[in-house]
Amino acid sequence: MNKMKIEIWSDVMCPFCYIGKRRFEKSLENSSLNDSVEIEWKSFQLNPDLQTDPSIRIDEYLALHKGMPVDQAKALNTQVTQMAAEEGLVYNFDKSVVANSFRAHVLTHFAKKYHKQDEVEELLFQSYFTDGKNIDDIEVLKNLAEKVGLNALEYEDIVAKGTLDDEVKMDINEARQMGVQGVPFFVYDRKYAVSGAQPVELFAQTLEKAFAEWKSTNS
């Protein structure tokens, strides 16, 4: 069955991306269109030059990255934690590992080939924000691959050879060409966009509008 495509640019270490994912999912669940859309996750890196360093606390990293006092960074993370809790998500920033997300994006592209992308995306968010896992650690990522029934050794080989690196970079370049400044960034049928972790109602309105137009030209 032909489906309307929704593309989501996201970074695994972006707290608002996980919140946005939940709100977007609620907009689908509240509609009758869940089976009428195809979702594709696209790669984006908030800080591509970030060096993985488990010895740094996430509050310290945020303070350094944003040029603010650690106390202010901690307060911001507390606010985001409360926002996530309202969506049923558990953020444990005290356990979060400062890690480059590139290998995690490679995993989502690997999963895409086996129609497991959404499952992997969810596990990556959970691993980073809730479980305090190092999402740049190849063993951690291999374990996530196995959890959804993917071949961990095949994924490891892809990372070693850089087989899917260009696909990740293409997503990032495409976002840049579209003028995307931040994530999450949702694109409905290449016509309408929602930027940020917006309220469920906005996602729902955009979904209905985009789908009505898509259906009129694809029926």
Side-chain angles (χ1 to χ4, degrees):
M1 177 184 173
N2 197 15
K3 298 183 178 184
M4 185 186 80
K5 180 177 276 194
I6 301 175
E7 298 157 293
I8 309 171
W9 273 265
S10 168
D11 195 359
V12 177
M13 59 177 292
C14 163
F16 297 105
C17 290
Y18 201 7
I19 295 168
K21 182 178 188 291
R22 274 295 179 276
R23 292 178 178 175
F24 167 76
E25 287 168 344
K26 286 176 183 176
S27 75
L28 278 180
E29 290 166 6
N30 294 339
S31 76
S32 59
L33 304 175
N34 209 359
D35 295 326
S36 302
V37 299
E38 173 191 350
I39 298 166
E40 180 178 353
W41 288 90
K42 298 277 205 171
S43 301
F44 190 95
Q45 283 198 289
L46 292 170
N47 186 0
D49 300 321
L50 173 66
Q51 297 293 314
T52 299
D53 189 348
S55 70
I56 301 177
R57 292 178 58 84
I58 200 72
D59 296 333
E60 295 170 348
Y61 161 72
L62 182 62
L64 187 65
H65 185 59
K66 297 290 187 182
M68 62 175 66
V70 174
D71 286 348
Q72 186 180 349
K74 190 171 184 178
L76 284 174
N77 281 334
T78 298
Q79 287 179 2
V80 175
T81 298
Q82 292 169 347
M83 187 186 299
E86 292 172 6
E87 304 302 330
L89 302 173
V90 178
Y91 280 13
N92 293 315
F93 281 116
D94 57 322
K95 298 199 300 183
S96 292
V97 177
V98 174
N100 190 289
S101 59
F102 193 88
R103 284 179 172 176
H105 287 299
V106 171
L107 178 57
T108 64
H109 276 270
F110 174 55
K112 177 183 170 183
K113 299 181 183 303
Y114 296 96
H115 309 289
K116 299 276 189 177
Q117 201 180 30
D118 201 65
E119 294 173 64
V120 164
E121 197 76 28
E122 178 68 26
L123 281 177
L124 284 167
F125 279 130
Q126 181 184 318
S127 296
Y128 183 79
F129 289 106
T130 306
D131 301 336
K133 302 288 186 183
N134 182 348
I135 52 141
D136 190 31
D137 186 304
I138 192 66
E139 294 303 322
V140 168
L141 294 168
K142 282 166 62 180
N143 181 258
L144 295 184
E146 287 180 337
K147 276 188 176 181
V148 299
L150 297 174
N151 188 317
L153 293 179
E154 184 183 355
Y155 166 68
E156 185 176 34
D157 185 60
I158 284 170
V159 171
K161 293 178 179 175
T163 310
L164 296 177
D165 287 8
D166 283 347
E167 289 192 17
V168 175
K169 292 172 184 175
M170 281 173 63
D171 281 356
I172 295 169
N173 288 334
E174 188 176 12
R176 188 179 296 118
Q177 290 167 6
M178 291 169 63
V180 177
Q181 299 294 316
V183 286
F185 193 81
F186 302 78
V187 177
Y188 295 70
D189 194 32
R190 287 284 164 145
K191 285 185 178 179
Y192 298 101
V194 174
S195 180
Q198 299 295 338
V200 175
E201 293 75 20
L202 180 58
F203 284 117
Q205 291 167 9
T206 309
L207 173 65
E208 289 172 11
K209 183 176 179 64
F211 188 79
E213 292 184 16
W214 175 87
K215 190 174 182 181
S216 69
T217 57
N218 288 272
S219 57

